[in-house]
Amino acid sequence: MIVVKTREEIELMRESALIVSKTLGMLAKEIKPGVTTVQLDKLAEDFIRAQDALPGFLGLYDCPSTLLCSVNEAVVHGLPTAIPLKEGDIVSIDCGALKNGFYGDHAYTFEIGEVAPETKKLIEVTKESLYVGIREFKINNRVGDVGYAIQKYCEDHGYGVVRELVGHGLGKKMHEDPEMPNYGKRGRGKKFIEGMVVAIEPMINMGTHRVKQLKDGWTIVTSDGKPSVHFEHDVAIIDGNPEILSTFAYVHEALGITSNEEDEFRQEALVL
């Protein structure tokens, strides 16, 4: 069952989402060769708690960490390790926060130093596909419209779209209805209505769409060992149209990136 949110509840969700956004922005300054994802995990937990919030992942489904850190061929759900990041790696940092009874859930894929041009292209296309999908999240469209848009965009670039893992509704629970696949057919699936909030999160592979799970019971990797990229935003339908509750602006500021990619999905300018 889809749980529709009031405007007041959406504003509480925005607060939770922005805590995650700020956490990712803080981490952006720390991610470099030699740093371990265990170190990043501790920084994130301390930062979230300092915002009077709780780490959204820690303990959820027995998750042992605040962050899920997926390096190179890891798609999602990578557990933090003591292995140092190295030049040329990529790492998806997925993070959640719980405040005022509502979750924020948000992810960004970071480059470690100089990455291979083909990997940089995969990052670029996956990030673009996130906004391609968000444009379809509007009143009277359906789940399949978002999935189709993301799938077509990425497959037109020759990439594999993960099937086994999907986006989801978001609210007082981390995972609510509806599931939001990154593939599908136009006009299929549940219809979008005012007040819906979802996490849209393309998980796109350089090679095959097929994945497998490691023995740790968490980490999902590509079957062919090629890189995978993951981006995620929390999005609400307000006045019939998509509005992003999370933001990459803090990450962009930390990395010196100038971007207006989120402008079309905000009713008001974001004040950092």
Side-chain angles (χ1 to χ4, degrees), residues 172-185:
K172 291 185 176 180
K173 295 181 179 179
M174 176 64 76
H175 297 105
E176 297 184 351
D177 283 341
E179 290 190 343
M180 295 290 295
N182 297 303
Y183 60 92
K185 295 183 178 180

Side-chain angles (χ1 to χ4, degrees), residues 58 68 144 147 223:
L58 186 61
L68 294 171
S223 293

